Amino acid sequence: MIPGPHNAITDISGLRVGNAQDDALKSGVTVLTADAPFTASVSVMGGAPGTRETDLLAPDKSVAQVDALVLSGGSAYGLDACSGVVAGLRAQGRGFRVGDAIIPLVPGAIIFDLLSGGDKDWADTPYPALGRAAFDAATDHTDIGTVGAGTGAMTAMMKGGLGTASLRLDTGATVAALVVANPMGSVTTPGDRHFWAAPFEIDGEFGGLGPDPASGLGRSMDSRKLTAMLERANTTIAIVATDATLDKAQCQRVAIAAHDGIGRACVPAHSPGDGDLVFAVSTGAMALTAPTDLGLIGHAAALCLTRAIARGVHAATPAPDDLLPTWGQLNADI
């Protein structure tokens, strides 16, 4: 397994990502859409999720495919970003048709970034406009770090961010992840330098420092984030995707497996205060070739998600009035 040409979710043909953010707000929106509707499901393992239309993605529900997925800052306000994406899809004549009616299907999930600094004293919620802007900006490339829904993200000890990673399998399929890293837990070991995800790094994609040689790791619960915010409101939300043909039940199984990626990269993970959620997407361009393919795709999705979390935090950039430093600021001597 090797990364795709861009080491990004857009290495899967037909998928596009759009980002929009308001730097004064310190928040933003990320949208995944495609040239055609795609199969999707979801798995939630955090104790405090914020979602829209995720019930549609259960294997027993009648809707087979959706038009876009939204990852947003803004907590409950950010769910309105989906409305902006719905408007953009409707303007293009895209959506589920019932007679003459068009209904764009856009599930979404949010992170809590309301206490991350920035001007949150708005009269009208900015998230529908940010959602529309992110949809309109969708391309076959995505930036990472302090961008889109990762703009206001924070981990326990440093700024979080938007990350992505991909792998090409020997079967010919591509698997990838797109994530907003905003966990209650840390993504680096004590000392703020080595990533928990280091054993899974490929080609120095988040610094190349390797695993922490220290022993007794994982016992510290120190958190600059809790000190700064006095609030246990967090989340890691992600999308994993493949061009292999999967039905909704198989997508759900991949989403469940991909949660291992959060557990490897964030310590602790899946806490009562986290809203940890993973969407899984199939574009259906390539048939499964063996009974073992599904397990391999789930494993690869977890690997991609682990790497994407570290990449997003590693790429975060400083901004005025940040509550936490970036990984780069903490490791300026490297």
Side-chain angles (χ1 to χ4, degrees), residues 39-327:
T39 304
S41 192
V42 68
S43 171
V44 181
M45 295 187 71
T51 61
R52 169 171 160 156
E53 298 214 283
T54 50
D55 284 355
L56 288 173
L57 304 180
D60 64 321
K61 299 302 184 286
S62 59
V63 170
Q65 295 182 311
V66 299
D67 301 291
L69 295 171
V70 172
L71 307 177
S72 180
S75 190
Y77 301 102
L79 294 175
D80 284 338
C82 297
S83 297
V85 179
V86 167
L89 286 160
R90 186 177 187 275
Q92 295 181 4
R94 295 180 56 189
F96 183 71
R97 291 188 174 271
V98 182
D100 293 333
I102 300 174
I103 309 169
L105 300 176
V106 184
I110 49 86
I111 65 165
F112 183 92
D113 61 1
L114 296 179
L115 299 180
S116 62
D119 181 8
K120 304 298 196 295
D121 187 25
W122 61 75
D124 296 309
T125 174
Y127 288 97
L130 285 168
R132 179 63 182 270
F135 174 75
D136 289 342
T139 68
D140 59 0
H141 167 77
T142 182
D143 294 327
I144 61 173
T146 307
V147 64
T151 300
M154 297 191 294
T155 75
M157 302 302 282
M158 62 192 66
K159 284 184 73 170
L162 182 74
T164 189
S166 69
L167 285 171
R168 285 188 168 176
L169 311 186
D170 292 343
T171 62
T174 299
V175 179
L178 178 71
V179 62
V180 184
N182 184 61
M184 183 195 82
S186 66
V187 297
T188 52
T189 63
D192 301 328
R193 178 162 294 198
H194 297 269
F195 286 93
W196 293 110
F200 308 95
E201 185 175 15
I202 299 174
D203 296 333
E205 62 192 337
F206 43 86
L209 298 179
D212 193 332
S215 61
L217 298 175
R219 292 182 293 173
S220 171
M221 287 291 289
D222 290 344
S223 174
R224 295 187 184 102
K225 180 176 183 177
L226 294 183
T227 301
M229 297 174 58
L230 300 178
E231 181 71 40
R232 286 180 175 262
N234 316 272
T235 288
T236 298
I237 51 177
I239 303 167
V240 296
T242 181
D243 51 7
T245 300
L246 306 179
D247 60 25
K248 285 172 72 178
Q250 291 170 319
C251 281
Q252 186 180 59
R253 178 50 51 189
V254 170
I256 292 168
H259 273 282
D260 286 355
I262 298 177
R264 292 167 183 160
C266 306
V267 178
H270 305 140
S271 75
D274 281 309
D276 295 348
L277 171 150
V278 179
F279 293 109
V281 167
S282 166
T283 62
M286 180 176 298
L288 298 181
T289 59
T292 57
D293 284 358
L294 182 61
L296 179 61
I297 289 167
H299 171 56
L303 292 176
C304 287
L305 185 47
T306 297
R307 295 162 48 226
I309 290 169
R311 291 191 73 211
V313 175
H314 182 260
T317 53
D321 302 319
D322 281 345
L323 299 185
L324 295 181
T326 65
W327 184 90

Side-chain angles (χ1 to χ4, degrees), residues 191-193 209 327-334:
D192 301 328
R193 178 162 294 198
L209 298 179
W327 184 90
Q329 288 174 308
L330 291 168
N331 295 281
D333 58 316
I334 296 177

